[in-house]
């Protein structure tokens, strides 16, 4: 039986069209992607991301690190004869989110301890006027009281006989030391009998003062051993973490908030001309050059989805904000009441427990998240940078807090 040459040619053309169509669909998966030069490179808005030699993007891959062993507290608190004695009261509030709460409670405990005062349970205040919550709405009261029982006495509220007019407001620098308390705060306390402490932040870095510097054990206890989420919030965070881990068993948390990226201090460069903040496109490129596959699960601290994040989701389709992974029956309480404190807390504790943490924004959120991760044995904190070549090693971008072991957490854990 003869073969019709025209049928053969038509068959070849048909196969060729299907191959071309498949290649076009693969390219369309990436937003604004063009193939130029070497067929094994993808050009993404002028920057190259190396692919495998066969031209395929590998999924479920990446430079994941195993967790190190969970560290143990090195601090030791002596048991004084009058651990719960008091000569007056120290009051304070928790403000501006959990990354500040940690520092604020540490300073308040340090002041109360070294003054021999009773600590009054704080309230929690948001950024908007009238945005107030009780401590127990977010944190575990019993845990706080029990953890501090050998250091200071904690009461839920001021006695009725103490007038607010009798309380002096005292500003203290973050990481306040015993010498400062004795010199600057003790005279005021002796004069007024009661004080209200507010913490200010000369710096938001949490580096050790020196490599061999020792941290006050009371400070270590307050910073790493006093605050725990109350059961309802803790269970919610755990359920969201499990949803993120469902597909691949691991995920990346990225502190990326569009509102902050748009502020002036984020648009400026650092002292040596380096960038200080990174947008969604830059973070996507950074992660791809480090070798994270397109199937990687990503959690963003951004409150609600914004169109500027689409480019990140194009490269990593499994990218979520909290509204996408929070159980529906929890959204009314935790997302829809315009109370950002719950959302900030959720972001902080998910970022502390993710397999990888990437801070697109510098600041105290980054510093205190690293501190909790050090204590939990989760060292993979990758600080973004512009990678000049087509790829990079993730170990070159580990946070200096961890690579140099200069975070003050290393003074508290061993």
């Amino acid at each position: 039986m003869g073969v019709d040459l025209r049928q053969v040619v038509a068959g070849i053309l048909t196969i060729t069209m299907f191959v071309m169509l498949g290649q076009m669909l693969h390219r369309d998966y990436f937003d604004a992607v063009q193939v130029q030069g070497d067929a094994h490179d993808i050009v993404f808005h002028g920057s190259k991301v190396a692919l495998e030699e066969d031209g395929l993007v590998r999924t479920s891959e990446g430079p994941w690190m195993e967790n190190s062993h969970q560290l143990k507290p090195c601090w030791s608190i002596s048991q004084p004869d009058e651990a719960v004695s008091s000569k007056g009261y120290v009051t304070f509030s928790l403000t501006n989110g959990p990354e500040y709460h940690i520092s604020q409670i540490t300073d308040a405990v340090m002041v109360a301890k070294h003054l021999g005062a009773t600590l009054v349970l704080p309230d929690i205040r948001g950024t908007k006027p009238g945005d107030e919550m009780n401590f127990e709405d977010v944190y575990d009261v019993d845990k706080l009281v029990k953890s501090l029982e050998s250091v200071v006495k904690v009461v839920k509220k001021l006695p009725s006989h103490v007038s607010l007019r009798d309380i002096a407001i005292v500003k203290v620098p973050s990481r306040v030391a015993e010498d400062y308390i004795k010199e600057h705060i003790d005279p005021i306390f002796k004069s007024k009998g009661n004080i209200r402490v507010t913490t200010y932040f000369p710096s938001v870095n949490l580096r050790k003062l020196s490599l061999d510097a020792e941290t006050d054990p009371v400070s270590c206890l307050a910073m790493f051993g006093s605050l725990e989420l109350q059961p309802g919030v803790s269970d919610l965070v755990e359920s969201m973490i499990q949803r993120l881990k469902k597909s691949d068993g691991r995920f990346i948390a990225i502190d990326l908030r569009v509102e902050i990226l748009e502020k002036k201090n984020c648009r400026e460069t650092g002292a040596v001309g380096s960038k200080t903040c990174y947008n969604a496109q830059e973070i996507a490129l950074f992660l791809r050059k480090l070798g994270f596959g397109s199937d990687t699960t990503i959690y963003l601290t951004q409150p609600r989805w914004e169109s500027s994040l689409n480019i990140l989701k194009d490269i990593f389709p499994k990218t979520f904000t909290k509204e996408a992974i929070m159980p529906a029956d929890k959204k009314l309480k935790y997302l829809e009441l315009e109370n950002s404190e719950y959302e900030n807390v959720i972001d902080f504790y998910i970022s502390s427990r993710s397999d990888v943490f990437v801070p697109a924004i510098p600041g105290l959120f980054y510093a205190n998240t690293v501190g909790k991760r050090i204590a939990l044995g989760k060292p993979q904190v990758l600080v973004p940078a512009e990678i000049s070549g087509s790829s990079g090693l993730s170990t070159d971008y580990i946070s200096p807090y961890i690579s140099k072991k200069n975070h003050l957490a290393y003074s508290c854990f061993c």
Side-chain angles (χ1 to χ4, degrees), residues 50-168:
L51 296 182
E52 298 295 331
E53 285 301 308
D54 58 7
L56 299 177
V57 178
R58 300 300 186 193
T59 60
S60 299
E61 290 186 355
W64 304 95
M65 291 173 58
E66 294 297 324
N67 291 340
S68 59
H69 68 280
Q70 189 166 333
L71 301 180
K72 296 181 179 180
C74 293
W75 67 82
S76 177
I77 305 293
S78 60
Q79 300 285 344
D81 294 334
E82 297 181 348
V84 296
S85 65
S86 174
K87 296 181 291 185
Y89 294 88
V90 171
T91 69
F92 68 111
S93 293
L94 300 178
T95 63
N96 299 319
E99 66 271 34
Y100 286 86
H101 298 174
I102 292 173
S103 299
Q104 289 161 345
I105 200 159
T106 301
D107 294 329
V109 169
M110 283 286 289
V111 170
K113 163 64 178 175
H114 293 296
L115 294 180
T118 293
L119 189 67
V120 180
L121 197 71
D123 60 352
I124 301 174
R125 301 186 180 185
T127 55
K128 301 176 183 177
D131 188 3
E132 297 182 11
M133 305 172 68
N134 295 321
F135 182 87
E136 57 267 28
D137 291 334
V138 175
Y139 297 109
D140 189 324
V141 176
D142 293 337
K143 166 65 178 178
L144 178 79
V145 174
K146 185 172 180 59
S147 66
L148 298 176
E149 63 183 0
S150 64
V151 176
V152 294
K153 180 180 179 180
V154 181
V155 296
K156 291 188 176 182
K157 59 183 180 179
L158 276 171
S160 58
H161 68 269
V162 178
S163 171
L164 294 179
R165 291 177 297 181
D166 298 329
I167 300 177

Side-chain angles (χ1 to χ4, degrees), residues 35-43 49-56 390:
V35 176
Q36 300 177 357
D38 190 338
H40 300 314
D41 289 330
I42 278 184
V43 178
V49 178
L51 296 182
E52 298 295 331
E53 285 301 308
D54 58 7
L56 299 177
S390 61

Side-chain angles (χ1 to χ4, degrees), residues 232 235-236 239 326-336:
D235 290 346
L236 173 61
S239 70
M326 183 178 290
D329 61 338
K330 302 294 184 182
K331 289 183 178 180
L332 178 62
K333 179 176 181 179
Y334 295 104
L335 288 185
E336 298 174 9

